[in-house]
Amino acid sequence: MSTDDGVRVWLRRQGAEQIAHPGGNLYAHLCRVSERLAALGCARDVQAAGLTHAGLRH
């Protein structure tokens, strides 16, 4: 499992799919940001930053 896969699992376990966000939910937004950065040719660490740029509260 890659680091990104681990982060995605963690985000889902934290309920990111249940948090409303324009265009869907927070999880989908974070994935789109990471994928957009990848399409732009950004490094994996920048893609990971995109995947984690919003905090989750409990």
Side-chain angles (χ1 to χ4, degrees):
M1 177 182 301
S2 73
T3 301
D4 283 359
D5 290 339
V7 170
R8 289 172 192 253
V9 167
W10 182 84
L11 287 168
R12 294 175 87 183
R13 287 182 181 160
Q14 301 308 308
E17 290 178 303
Q18 308 308 314
I19 300 170
H21 191 278
N25 60 57
L26 180 60
Y27 178 79
H29 165 71
L30 295 172
C31 290
R32 284 193 305 270
V33 170
S34 180
E35 290 161 7
R36 175 74 171 140
L37 292 168
L40 291 170
C42 295
R44 303 246 345 151
D45 59 340
V46 176
Q47 295 170 43
L51 190 58
T52 60
H53 78 272
L56 297 170
R57 293 184 184 186
H58 289 283

